[in-house]
Amino acid sequence: MDKILEAVVMSSYPNNVKQGLVRRVIEAAKQPMDSEQCWSMLELSTKLYLTGDTKYKREIGKEVLEVYGHYHPEEFEEFFNVRFLLSLLQEGYGPLGKRSHYVLDYIQLGLQFVLESPSANSIFSLLRIEVLRKVCERPSPKQCAKISKLLTQHPQCIPTGKHQVLFCQQLIRCIGQFQCVSEGEEDIMEFLEQVNKVSGLLQRIWRTQTSAILPSLKELFTIISSTEEQEAPSNALASVVQFVPLELMDGVIRNLTNDDSITDVQMMTAIGRMIDWVSWPLGKNIDKWIIALLKGLAAVKKFSILIEVTLSKIEKVFSKLLYPIVREGALSVLQYMLLSFQHSHEAFHLLLPHIPRLVASLKKEDSNSAASSLEQLAELIHCMFFRFSGFPDLYEPVLEAVKALPIPNEDRIKHLLGQNAWTSQKNELACFYPRLVSKSETGKIGLINLGNTCYMNSIIQSLFMASDFRHSVLNLTEGNSQPLMTKLQWLFAFLEHSQRPAISPESFLSASWPPWFTPGAQQDCSEYLKYLLDRLHEEEKTGKRIYQKLKESSLMSQAVEHHYLNKTLIEKMFGGKMMTKIRCLKCLNVSSREEAFTDLSLAFPPPDRHVRGSTSVLPVEEIGPQFIEPPENPSQLTGSPWIRRKPPMAGEPAAPPMLVETLGFQEPGEQANPLSSDAVGVDAAKDPLSAFGEQACAPKDSRSVLDLINYFLSPERLTAENKYHCEKCASLQDAEKVAELTEGPHYLILTLLRFSFDPRTMKRKKILDNVSIPVVLKLPVLVSPEETEDVRQREKDRAGPESGFMSVVYDLCSVVVHSGISSESGHYYCYSRECTDSVPHGQPRDGTPKRASDKQLDFEIQWYLFNDTRVSFSSFESVSNVTSFFPKDTAYVLFYRQRPGRQSCPLHEALAEASRLHGEPSLHKDLMEAISKDNILYLQEQEKEARNRAAYISALPKSPLWWRDFDRDKDDDNSSGGCSPAAGGGGSGSFHGLVF
């Protein structure tokens, strides 16, 4: 009968004809048959099953084996013996070089017919040993899956005792070497199925024998932490972790992170490879294990590992959000990585170039998964904006991409950041702040944040960029008996000449720190600036008092005497004078008091006194004379409101204030509206404040710096409970109070009073109004009769007033921005540019206006953005638009520099002469030596760090280039399938990139 069956199978008849003949042979096999005939038929069916060159032949062999196993059990048991099986497993079946791949399938098929036979236990014992040996030989994924299928169906064959633990460990090693050699989607799906079968076997073993779990995990960690492997272990190992019971997680992670035998390099390698597992599809709990290990490392303060791994892997994790099949796990890992990386903006900034494209891709996908991910991603981005403010130029494209998505409230943001931080002790991360490899491309140097010291950093950078002040500080002689000024000189010198990308202002902070400030807490930068300037001023005054005593004892030369008799440097650079006048409205008596100031604090007009915009923007060539020309009619004199004025009659308005003006250009689309010669006049029936309302060019509800200055300078009525006690009347009377500038400072500092006390909440709140900032403004300064006479002599054809105002022109040079909603929190950064007389800001020496062709140059001077250690190029456009994009980022302190003019000629000429004679400031010997030594030390540090870093991260696992995931997703509208970035699509290439 075996000859007949073989002849039929080997014949050339059609398969349907063969099938009929085979059916007859099989039916005949169900009848009683002698042992020899059975043996022959079993040999033939074994041959067909194991070496058949077609699927049809193998199917016939299988069918015959099943019939003989069922109807001739004794003969089958005798044939299917231990010796035969051992031969199959160790030697294989078939010609040398063409051994059958179906031995394990054959054994699994035959086992079902010998389970109750006396030889069953012997067969099981043999298979327990042989499957262990097979696994140790590292079979292919397909063969490994067959072993798993065999053992899953016949658990009696699973190794027991110590061999069982060894079997699990070796099986994990097999998985670690699995590779899918094909990029076809069908082949990949088959590979995934094979891996799931193998990991499923481990799950079955662990479920019945929990003692095998920890040794298995130890082996897994040994594999992924190895730095000696030529190739990284397969991501298929992710399938192993998903079956580890979560209740074991805490203990496993605690043991790993506290194991002193595990080096940092091994731990870094392991966690890096685990993070790569986010690309493994259909894995469960993988993200939980990754996050648990990251948290475990944070608990034992392994911050250097966390930093290296996060910076090297976060972009790859982010790229996996393109794929719905792994998106959920990847997003969980990304959220933890970003929310925990709070000491530096580096990790978040790595993602900035890729966020807009990912958001566009998710919107295009239009699925529930994409919509949910977009909302979570937007929440994450706003948390990062909140934590790392001060980068408006970088954030604008990202903000534009997510502007339509929900914005979390501040409580939610603070909760997320507080819940995920590596540590609550910020000083523990002090040595891990951003490592800058080289100086900023701007050539400028940053300042290290020493723990909420951005308020100081922004002020120091603004003062440093005030070039006249910087040069004066750097030119101070050695031993000037001004310890704080000396420390500022050293800090400025290092900012000017250091090779470091950022320096620490720790020494200056300790010397200039106001005693009432709380260490480590955010402070008001304006308060710090006032205290700093006052300290520097008083320190120099003390030196002058010492001089007076030395002078009395005749121990000082005339040259030194002349030096000390001058104003202090702070007075020269930032000092101005203001006259406050109060006029009794009954007797018209005027009392006045002149005060010095270093900054003007500008309050916001109350809502019921809304100041609508500023005067029109005038082209530079239309400025005209730098003083206000007196009108022919003395009653319309543009001067002090109370000069030659009659007592006001009932219903008469108060005198119009002198207006602040801007210079420069209209924004595109604005209508130019040059002021007429009597533009500052006021109709008798109008409120004084409406004088500049008529020339408003800003939106109705907007504010400008000019509005705030005009409000500051406008007359104030003292009535009701606020009446003035007139000495002449000897009683309380209605009065009018006005402030007039009598001397404009060289550097004008304006503080916008954004923080006010809210009695309802009993907290200081912030006024978030957007205030437009003019790049150039004219400030009215009251001139004395002597100065007026001088002007009249120069302009002989015109009649000058006894006293009046002239306009002093100022150029914007720094803007300190506060990001946040409270003075006790948030972040400071600043925009700055260098304004000097050597650039086209200065008026020609003859006092004539600039040519029309020069007006653009006001906007061409380079702006810089200083944000602690980071310095970047910026623009006035960014300064102007920052609040529009980021409503909590508002201008707070402004620095303006006075242009050379009549009032400031002596100081400007002195500064110009000093610059011409001395050029760049020359530093004294000790300071130059200190900078030189530090630069050499920095180079040595760089060389050492480069060597250490190369050794430290060389073990990081190499993974496929993350950006390929983005490159593949170039709007492939023709893609289809179930694994593409856009809901369903993607060819096989994209799927292969996802998994491997």
Side-chain angles (χ1 to χ4, degrees):
M1 190 177 293
D2 57 304
K3 300 296 183 183
I4 296 173
L5 178 60
E6 185 173 13
V8 170
V9 170
M10 299 301 176
S11 69
S12 58
Y13 293 128
N15 283 347
N16 58 339
V17 175
K18 290 183 182 179
Q19 190 62 37
L21 296 173
V22 169
R23 182 60 50 198
R24 292 183 182 179
V25 172
I26 289 175
E27 288 298 323
K30 294 178 182 180
Q31 304 301 318
M33 192 177 298
D34 62 70
S35 179
E36 185 178 348
Q37 185 63 45
C38 285
W39 196 276
S40 299
M41 285 297 289
L42 287 169
E43 283 184 336
L44 175 60
S45 57
T46 298
K47 179 181 176 182
L48 289 173
Y49 187 87
L50 291 176
T51 62
D53 54 2
T54 64
K55 185 178 179 181
Y56 176 72
K57 291 177 182 178
R58 291 195 299 274
E59 285 294 329
I60 292 175
K62 177 185 175 183
E63 198 170 350
V64 172
L65 282 170
E66 287 175 338
V67 169
Y68 277 84
H70 184 73
Y71 289 99
H72 305 281
E74 293 181 2
E75 287 79 5
F76 188 89
E77 181 184 344
E78 183 181 354
F79 179 82
F80 200 78
N81 58 63
V82 171
R83 183 177 297 177
F84 175 59
L85 294 181
L86 182 61
S87 172
L88 285 178
L89 290 167
Q90 292 189 355
E91 299 173 14
Y93 189 94
L96 194 63
K98 292 186 179 181
R99 299 297 194 192
S100 174
H101 299 295
Y102 301 100
V103 169
L104 291 170
D105 305 88
Y106 176 82
I107 293 174
Q108 181 183 342
L109 176 65
L111 275 179
Q112 61 183 312
F113 302 111
V114 297
L115 294 177
E116 303 299 329
S117 69
S119 62
N121 288 333
S122 299
I123 293 175
F124 295 154
S125 297
L126 170 69
L127 290 175
R128 291 188 197 109
I129 296 171
E130 286 301 308
V131 293
L132 177 57
R133 183 185 62 79
K134 280 279 187 186
V135 167
C136 290
E137 293 175 353
R138 305 289 179 264
S140 66
K142 189 172 185 179
Q143 291 299 309
C144 229
K146 290 181 177 181
I147 293 174
S148 300
K149 185 178 179 182
L150 169 65
L151 299 184
T152 301
Q153 189 170 343
H154 302 289
Q156 308 95 319
C157 303
I158 297 174
T160 57
K162 292 181 179 180
H163 286 170
Q164 187 176 82
V165 172
L166 180 61
F167 175 77
C168 290
Q169 293 174 328
Q170 293 301 316
L171 199 57
I172 290 171
R173 285 205 168 268
C174 283
I175 298 174
Q177 294 189 358
F178 284 178
Q179 297 296 334
C180 184
V181 295
S182 171
E183 294 191 2
E185 190 165 330
E186 289 185 5
D187 294 330
I188 292 174
M189 294 303 296
E190 182 182 0
F191 174 76
L192 292 175
E193 186 179 351
Q194 291 163 358
V195 174
N196 282 339
K197 283 181 181 177
V198 179
S199 58
L201 173 62
L202 283 170
Q203 180 191 23
R204 182 186 181 96
I205 296 173
W206 290 345
R207 193 180 295 157
T208 57
Q209 196 67 35
T210 54
S211 61
I213 297 177
L214 292 181
S216 300
L217 291 180
K218 187 174 181 180
E219 188 71 16
L220 173 64
F221 186 81
T222 301
I223 295 169
I224 63 175
S225 64
S226 173
T227 59
E228 299 174 358
E229 300 290 338
Q230 294 295 320
E231 292 187 7
S234 171
N235 282 347
L237 287 170
S239 64
V240 175
V241 175
Q242 66 180 331
F243 294 124
V244 180
L246 292 180
E247 55 267 24
L248 297 179
M249 182 183 289
D250 290 343
V252 170
I253 298 299
R254 191 164 50 249
N255 289 338
L256 279 178
T257 54
N258 288 282
D259 189 341
D260 294 334
S261 66
I262 300 173
T263 67
D264 284 359
V265 172
Q266 289 175 322
M267 183 62 76
M268 185 165 56
T269 303
I271 186 62
R273 286 169 174 165
M274 283 184 68
I275 290 172
D276 287 343
W277 293 350
V278 296
S279 62
W280 185 256
L282 307 177
K284 298 177 182 177
N285 301 327
I286 295 171
D287 56 321
K288 294 183 176 65
W289 279 95
I290 294 171
I291 293 170
L293 184 52
L294 292 172
K295 287 182 176 179
L297 291 171
V300 295
K301 307 189 188 312
K302 297 282 190 180
F303 301 128
S304 58
I305 297 175
L306 291 167
I307 290 169
E308 292 291 353
V309 168
T310 301
L311 294 179
S312 64
K313 294 296 181 182
I314 195 165
E315 288 175 286
K316 182 175 183 183
V317 173
F318 182 81
S319 71
K320 299 309 171 188
L321 298 183
L322 288 167
Y323 303 96
I325 199 169
V326 296
R327 183 176 292 151
E328 184 179 353
L331 186 56
S332 295
V333 175
L334 179 71
Q335 283 176 322
Y336 180 77
M337 292 175 85
L338 274 182
L339 291 172
S340 62
F341 202 93
Q342 293 186 30
H343 71 289
S344 159
H345 53 72
E346 291 173 283
F348 178 51
H349 285 193
L350 286 174
L351 305 181
L352 294 179
H354 317 302
I355 290 175
R357 183 169 181 185
L358 175 70
V359 170
S361 178
L362 292 177
K363 287 180 178 178
K364 182 180 176 182
E365 182 179 315
D366 192 25
S367 67
N368 291 336
S369 167
S372 173
S373 297
L374 273 174
E375 289 191 10
Q376 293 178 69
L377 184 62
E379 182 177 71
L380 195 56
I381 289 169
H382 283 289
C383 285
M384 295 297 100
F385 284 167
F386 181 88
R387 179 65 187 86
F388 304 116
S389 55
F391 301 93
D393 296 350
L394 291 178
Y395 292 169
E396 281 182 19
V398 177
L399 189 67
E400 182 68 22
V402 300
K403 65 181 181 181
L405 299 170
I407 301 174
N409 60 45
E410 190 166 330
D411 289 340
R412 170 67 176 167
I413 290 173
K414 289 180 177 177
H415 170 72
L416 289 171
L417 291 172
Q419 190 179 47
N420 292 280
W422 284 338
T423 173
S424 59
Q425 305 299 319
K426 292 183 180 178
N427 59 332
E428 291 181 341
L429 287 164
C431 60
F432 296 109
Y433 282 100
R435 291 168 304 225
L436 303 173
V437 180
S438 59
K439 259 189 181 181
S440 161
E441 61 180 350
T442 64
K444 305 294 182 183
I445 296 174
L447 289 169
I448 295 171
N449 191 314
L450 302 172
N452 280 328
T453 58
C454 54
Y455 66 91
M456 177 187 71
N457 290 350
S458 57
I459 291 299
I460 290 174
Q461 295 285 20
S462 297
L463 292 174
F464 177 80
M465 293 294 285
S467 53
D468 298 332
F469 177 64
R470 178 178 76 243
H471 289 160
S472 299
V473 171
L474 292 175
N475 274 321
L476 287 173
T477 57
E478 190 175 7
N480 53 48
S481 71
Q482 299 178 54
L484 184 58
M485 186 65 84
T486 300
K487 285 187 178 292
L488 183 62
Q489 182 188 42
W490 278 62
L491 183 57
F492 277 6
F494 272 82
L495 284 174
E496 184 95 358
H497 299 289
S498 178
Q499 294 300 315
R500 294 180 182 273
I503 59 175
S504 170
E506 186 173 5
S507 176
F508 188 76
L509 172 65
S510 60
S512 64
W513 189 65
W516 62 89
F517 277 14
T518 304
Q522 185 60 278
Q523 306 294 343
D524 188 328
C525 77
S526 173
E527 186 178 1
Y528 174 76
L529 175 61
K530 288 183 176 72
Y531 176 80
L532 175 61
L533 296 182
D534 186 59
R535 276 276 307 276
L536 293 170
H537 169 68
E538 291 298 328
E539 192 176 75
E540 189 172 347
K541 278 176 63 179
T542 302
K544 292 182 183 297
R545 286 195 292 270
I546 294 172
Y547 151 75
Q548 287 296 127
K549 293 181 180 179
L550 292 174
K551 180 186 175 186
E552 290 169 6
S553 59
S554 301
L555 297 176
M556 188 170 285
S557 67
Q558 284 190 347
V560 177
E561 177 180 342
H562 177 74
H563 168 77
Y564 274 98
L565 283 177
N566 288 334
K567 290 180 177 181
T568 68
L569 179 60
I570 299 304
E571 287 176 313
K572 292 176 185 175
M573 294 292 166
F574 305 102
K577 290 183 180 178
M578 182 191 310
M579 182 77 74
T580 303
K581 298 179 179 179
I582 302 179
R583 182 176 63 122
C584 174
L585 294 181
K586 182 177 181 182
C587 68
L588 302 184
N589 180 57
V590 177
S591 64
S592 59
R593 182 179 75 254
E594 190 173 52
E595 297 175 308
F597 68 88
T598 54
D599 81 311
L600 296 180
S601 297
L602 305 179
F604 283 71
D608 57 342
R609 293 189 69 187
H610 185 59
V611 180
R612 294 171 297 155
S614 64
T615 55
S616 290
V617 179
L618 288 176
V620 176
E621 63 269 20
E622 295 181 19
I623 297 174
Q626 291 295 303
F627 68 101
I628 302 300
E629 182 179 339
E632 295 177 5
N633 184 350
S635 65
Q636 295 180 359
L637 178 69
T638 304
S640 177
W642 304 323
I643 294 176
R644 298 181 181 177
R645 282 197 55 182
K646 298 177 182 179
M649 304 297 290
E652 277 192 4
M658 175 63 187
L659 295 181
V660 182
E661 300 178 27
T662 61
L663 311 175
F665 319 100
Q666 279 76 4
E667 290 295 324
E670 282 188 357
Q671 181 69 35
N673 182 23
L675 289 173
S676 62
S677 60
D678 60 347
V680 292
V682 187
D683 186 273
K686 292 183 180 179
D687 183 271
L689 296 179
S690 66
F692 45 90
E694 292 202 333
Q695 287 86 32
C697 61
K700 180 179 179 182
D701 296 324
S702 70
R703 301 279 191 195
S704 76
V705 169
L706 310 179
D707 297 337
L708 273 60
I709 298 176
N710 281 321
Y711 178 62
F712 177 84
L713 296 176
S714 64
E716 176 187 358
R717 288 294 182 100
L718 304 178
T719 60
E721 296 179 356
N722 200 27
K723 283 187 176 183
Y724 165 68
H725 186 274
C726 177
E727 293 183 359
K728 189 172 181 180
C729 297
S731 61
L732 293 173
Q733 297 293 337
D734 287 351
E736 195 171 55
K737 176 182 176 182
V738 69
E740 296 171 342
L741 301 180
T742 57
E743 183 180 324
H746 184 62
Y747 282 102
L748 173 66
I749 301 175
L750 303 177
T751 300
L752 312 188
L753 296 178
R754 290 190 173 276
F755 301 111
S756 61
F757 184 76
D758 187 349
R760 184 176 57 83
T761 60
M762 301 301 288
K763 293 181 179 178
R764 290 180 76 192
K765 67 177 183 179
K766 181 178 177 182
I767 300 170
L768 294 172
D769 293 7
N770 191 1
V771 177
S772 61
I773 305 169
V775 70
V776 184
L777 61 80
K778 289 197 298 182
L779 202 63
V781 176
L782 187 65
V783 293
S784 65
E786 293 79 11
E787 291 173 308
T788 306
E789 178 64 22
D790 178 62
V791 172
R792 194 173 64 81
Q793 290 296 326
R794 295 190 190 194
E795 306 288 343
K796 293 180 180 179
D797 56 333
R798 298 179 180 178
E802 290 183 7
S803 180
F805 288 95
M806 74 173 187
S807 292
V808 179
V809 182
Y810 283 90
D811 296 291
L812 181 67
C813 52
S814 287
V815 179
V816 178
V817 176
H818 177 263
S819 176
I821 60 171
S822 166
S823 62
E824 290 82 24
S825 64
H827 180 63
Y828 289 100
Y829 56 95
C830 75
Y831 293 92
S832 288
R833 64 174 181 167
E834 291 205 46
C835 295
T836 64
D837 295 338
S838 60
V839 296
H841 272 267
Q843 294 282 11
R845 290 295 177 189
D846 60 2
T848 59
K850 284 197 294 185
R851 291 176 291 111
S853 59
D854 289 338
K855 66 182 182 180
Q856 277 287 8
L857 296 174
D858 282 330
F859 289 84
E860 290 176 359
I861 300 172
Q862 181 62 59
W863 282 89
Y864 302 94
L865 174 57
F866 295 89
N867 186 9
D868 290 335
T869 56
R870 183 179 182 272
V871 187
S872 57
F873 290 115
S874 191
S875 64
F876 183 67
E877 182 183 12
S878 179
V879 180
S880 304
N881 295 333
V882 63
T883 308
S884 301
F885 282 97
F886 304 92
K888 294 177 184 177
D889 291 28
T890 54
Y892 184 39
V893 178
L894 314 177
F895 288 73
Y896 281 87
R897 181 183 184 274
Q898 186 181 144
R899 283 189 188 178
R902 297 186 181 93
Q903 191 202 38
S904 57
C905 278
L907 177 59
H908 274 282
E909 288 172 2
L911 290 169
E913 181 68 14
S915 177
R916 185 181 66 81
L917 291 175
H918 305 293
E920 285 299 313
S922 57
L923 306 179
H924 57 78
K925 182 180 177 183
D926 288 350
L927 185 47
M928 285 303 299
E929 286 182 357
I931 294 172
S932 179
K933 286 180 181 179
D934 186 69
N935 285 339
I936 293 172
L937 177 62
Y938 171 65
L939 293 176
Q940 293 171 345
E941 289 172 357
Q942 288 292 94
E943 291 172 3
K944 183 178 179 181
E945 183 178 342
R947 288 195 300 268
N948 292 343
R949 185 174 172 82
Y952 194 62
I953 67 171
S954 61
L956 274 176
K958 301 295 187 295
S959 55
L961 297 178
W962 57 267
W963 57 79
R964 288 179 183 165
D965 294 314
F966 289 102
D967 292 340
R968 285 195 192 94
D969 186 40
K970 292 182 178 176
D971 300 326
D972 184 8
D973 294 326
N974 299 321
S975 61
S976 61
C979 308
S980 83
S988 58
S990 64
F991 192 83
H992 186 270
L994 159 67
V995 185
F996 312 108

